[in-house]
Amino acid sequence: MNGIELREVWFKYPGSKEWALRGVSLEIRRGEVLVLVGPNGSGKTTILKLAGGLYRPSRGEVTFWGSNIWEVNGSKRLELRRAVVYVHEKPILLRGTALDNVTFAPLLRGVPREEAIKIAEELLSDTSSAYLSRKDRREMSAGEAQVVSILRAVAAGPKILLLDEPTAHLDREKRVILTNLIGKLRSEGMGIAIATHDHLLALRTADRVVIVENGVVGSVGRPSEILDCC
Amino acid sequence: MEIVVRSLVVSGTATLLASTWSIVLAYLLVRSPRTSRPLIPLLEGMVGVPTVLIGLLLYLLLSRQGPLGVLRLLYSPQAIVIGQAILITPLITSVAYRVLTHSWDMYGELALSLGAAEGQAAKIVISESLSGVAAAVVMGFSRALGELGVALMVGGNIRGYTRVMTTAIALEVSKGEFELAVSLGIILLLILAMISLTLRFLGRLRE
Ligand SMILES: Nc1ncnc2c1ncn2[C@@H]1O[C@H](COP(=O)(O)OP(=O)(O)O)[C@@H](O)[C@H]1O
Ligand SMILES: [Mg+2]
């Protein structure tokens, strides 16, 4: 399996009585864009965080390239986790500028500073965001912060990218930029899973769409089949 | 003046010691909810432990006949440092725990999602909450500086050796020398106020 697989995953938040997910199975493959749609509270964020290895399933398995990430040990787990990056819906930036933030991800993986800065500057300018480079996180709008947090994830160079409501704060111009970026990353072989209410984004980027409802995954299909029904 | 300096050095050393292990402990507790669930209420309960109780405990340990009597630490500045460090550990740990829990929920998850190793995540979580952690440390320092019981019982209030501001104030009052007591008291208050102001300033700078 070239990517992430959730197998019969059940999940309950600590302290909660209700199951947030009830037997979810799905695959996120490289070179493919998978879009999750569904009402608020249906479990999209929870699925993405489980797929990102941030939550441990209560039951079932989450595998990265066939290995159960919760059963492999330290260094192997780190290596697997580094192949996948999850981006929060509400952007969380670290102290400093946009450039600091985007540089941060490659630095974390031991890329030398000079090279990390080069990667970051290239990404920022490719997405018409170079004007943000020197902006401090306190001076950014929500949309700008969202773009930066997505670019930071891309700069990490993951094989699979998990985007949670990536257009939530974006204006039309930035949505177009993001759509193009997603297309480019996909063509380079990255796998991308997106949780979104933005049907236009889904139509423009998705290879497959799944409907999530009440903690279970419903129908899976091509965007045109799935989306006109909702 | 010498008393003021000694107070600052003794309580500062105690705070440094206590902060080191308290912050590490707080972080470990954040990372292992199973241990912290029963331990945190206990620590919080110990925040207000009477200083004389710590003083008494340490006195028993350090006195000639006590299990640690051979160290000959009773009535030394080192004894005060140890006592104050123990005294403020629950305070620093429980405040740092709250701060770090909050920071972990945001930045810890972020760090892991970006592929941070455990140590890198710790660094991010602590550095993003530095002003809060610093506040915990300062609260500890204030308590150490202002406590009397430990300094009196295991320090002994020996002039030129273990006499600190609070023990000096107590002594002067008992002698009826209110003037020196009051001026020492004012200095103590000023120092505490200054620390708190510096902290606010630093916090604003970092935000
Ligand atoms: N931190 C949490 N603690 C407890 N329950 C949560 C938490 N986060 C989400 N939930 C619950 O889990 C379910 C799925 O939420 P979520 O995955 O965020 O949905 P979506 O992203 O589709 O809006 C909801 O019922 C929600 O109330
Ligand atoms: Mg969500």
Side-chain angles (χ1 to χ4, degrees):
Chain A
M1 170 64 204
N2 194 2
I4 302 171
E5 191 174 357
L6 273 66
R7 232 177 275 148
E8 272 301 306
V9 167
W10 292 65
F11 183 79
K12 201 183 272 182
Y13 281 92
S16 165
K17 285 200 190 73
E18 306 265 325
W19 290 104
L21 298 183
R22 297 176 290 132
V24 167
S25 299
L26 60 83
E27 291 175 4
I28 304 167
R29 307 177 195 127
R30 288 197 70 182
E32 182 188 77
V33 176
L34 173 72
V35 170
L36 295 92
V37 294
N40 286 331
S42 56
K44 304 182 296 295
T45 295
T46 312
I47 291 176
L48 289 188
K49 287 191 174 179
L50 278 152
L54 298 176
Y55 295 161
R56 188 177 186 143
S58 315
R59 284 190 227 155
E61 285 188 343
V62 177
T63 62
F64 287 15
W65 287 268
S67 308
N68 183 330
I69 42 157
W70 294 102
E71 274 165 17
V72 297
N73 60 13
S75 63
K76 174 75 174 160
R77 182 186 302 170
L78 183 62
E79 185 198 322
L80 286 172
R81 270 204 296 119
R82 284 186 169 174
V84 180
V85 175
Y86 166 83
V87 184
H88 291 81
E89 169 179 5
K90 190 163 166 276
I92 306 170
L93 295 186
L94 299 163
R95 212 169 260 139
T97 62
L99 188 64
D100 292 334
N101 269 277
V102 182
T103 312
F104 181 79
L107 282 179
L108 206 58
R109 286 143 202 263
V111 174
R113 179 166 286 277
E114 247 170 66
E115 204 176 314
I117 291 177
K118 221 182 104 213
I119 294 172
E121 281 178 337
E122 225 170 84
L123 258 173
L124 283 158
S125 70
D126 284 353
T127 52
S128 319
S129 309
Y131 76 101
L132 284 172
S133 291
R134 311 268 157 229
K135 239 191 200 189
D136 190 86
R137 69 168 173 184
R138 287 168 301 187
E139 298 158 356
M140 286 182 217
S141 70
E144 289 170 340
Q146 191 158 37
V147 168
V148 172
S149 73
I150 293 167
L151 294 181
R152 180 178 57 196
V154 174
K159 296 189 175 117
I160 304 257
L161 180 63
L162 308 168
L163 300 174
D164 202 348
E165 311 277 357
T167 57
H169 305 286
L170 303 189
D171 59 22
R172 217 169 49 122
E173 198 180 327
K174 286 193 163 56
R175 282 176 198 225
V176 172
I177 291 171
L178 179 69
T179 308
N180 293 338
L181 177 67
I182 290 170
K184 176 165 168 277
L185 294 172
R186 174 181 172 278
S187 71
E188 289 166 4
M190 196 183 279
I192 301 167
I194 308 172
T196 190
H197 289 107
D198 183 344
H199 282 195
L200 199 58
L201 178 76
L203 277 171
R204 293 217 169 123
T205 60
D207 295 297
R208 285 189 301 147
V209 176
V210 302
I211 297 182
V212 184
E213 220 156 355
N214 225 336
V216 289
V217 165
S219 28
V220 183
R222 295 194 325 188
S224 50
E225 301 162 4
I226 300 287
L227 289 174
D228 54 15
C229 72
C230 341
Chain B
M1 202 57 223
E2 170 224 347
I3 297 177
V4 176
V5 173
R6 180 173 311 109
S7 272
L8 291 174
V9 170
V10 166
S11 299
T13 314
T15 308
L16 216 64
L17 270 177
S19 301
T20 315
W21 64 61
S22 299
I23 293 168
V24 172
L25 179 63
Y27 186 80
L28 292 177
L29 286 173
V30 170
R31 293 300 285 128
S32 52
R34 217 163 289 163
T35 329
S36 54
R37 212 162 295 141
L39 207 60
I40 285 296
L42 205 71
L43 274 170
E44 283 176 346
M46 271 157 51
V47 165
V49 72
T51 57
V52 284
L53 218 62
I54 304 278
L56 175 64
L57 193 78
L58 208 60
Y59 182 91
L60 294 176
L61 283 174
L62 295 180
S63 67
R64 282 288 164 81
Q65 304 91 315
L68 299 177
V70 285
L71 298 176
R72 308 240 160 194
L73 279 176
L74 195 62
Y75 300 139
S76 71
Q78 289 89 326
I80 309 180
V81 167
I82 296 168
Q84 290 185 344
I86 295 170
L87 175 74
I88 62 180
T89 292
L91 175 64
I92 301 182
T93 308
S94 57
V95 175
Y97 173 80
R98 285 197 182 283
V99 172
L100 291 177
T101 300
H102 186 75
S103 179
W104 175 266
D105 286 344
M106 248 176 120
Y107 297 104
E109 203 176 274
L110 172 72
L112 289 188
S113 78
L114 287 173
E118 191 62 41
Q120 292 173 314
K123 212 175 121 198
I124 295 164
V125 167
I126 294 175
S127 81
E128 285 291 339
S129 59
L130 219 52
S131 58
V133 172
V137 171
V138 168
M139 283 164 83
F141 183 57
S142 301
R143 175 132 212 253
L145 202 62
E147 73 81 31
L148 173 66
V150 171
L152 203 58
M153 290 172 80
V154 301
N157 195 20
I158 302 165
R159 197 168 99 203
Y161 185 50
T162 60
R163 181 162 303 167
V164 293
M165 279 191 278
T166 51
T167 56
I169 292 172
L171 179 71
E172 296 305 321
V173 169
S174 71
K175 288 196 304 194
E177 305 261 355
F178 291 104
E179 218 169 288
L180 186 57
V182 168
S183 47
L184 273 173
I186 290 173
I187 294 176
L188 187 60
L189 278 176
L190 280 178
I191 292 173
L192 293 178
M194 247 162 52
I195 295 167
S196 140
L197 282 176
T198 316
L199 193 80
R200 287 200 153 223
F201 180 69
L202 283 179
R204 208 159 296 160
L205 222 65
R206 292 221 55 140
E207 262 320 297

